[in-house]
Amino acid sequence: MTTDFGGSARATLDAARPGLIELSHRIHQNPELGYEEHQAAAWVADYLVGAGFAVERGYAGMETAVVGRLGTGPLHLAICVEYDAL
């Protein structure tokens, strides 16, 4: 049995693209300084919750850090985002 992980990932990203672009534009239009990106962090967390992720806000003691987890299994994907205005 062969699974097309690449095709599945591509289809998932294609479906998410409009929402991700809107989120990107919203963050860009509302700049915040480093460690003060409270609105952007909230928007990212809300987006992830809406996409079905289990979200942890204030990760590692940083108020603006967000971690989202979805699914199980041996494959893990991490996306690190830096979105302050400087």
Side-chain angles (χ1 to χ4, degrees), residues 22-46:
E22 189 278 327
L23 175 61
S24 171
H25 289 178
R26 192 170 358 139
I27 290 171
H28 181 265
Q29 292 168 355
N30 297 277
E32 297 171 288
L33 297 177
Y35 301 103
E36 297 178 14
E37 314 94 327
H38 298 284
Q39 188 61 69
W43 288 333
V44 169
D46 291 346

Side-chain angles (χ1 to χ4, degrees), residues 49-75:
V49 167
F53 284 74
V55 172
E56 186 176 346
R57 300 169 194 246
Y59 186 76
M62 293 181 10
E63 292 181 12
T64 58
V66 176
V67 171
R69 290 186 172 85
L70 179 68
T72 60
L75 181 63

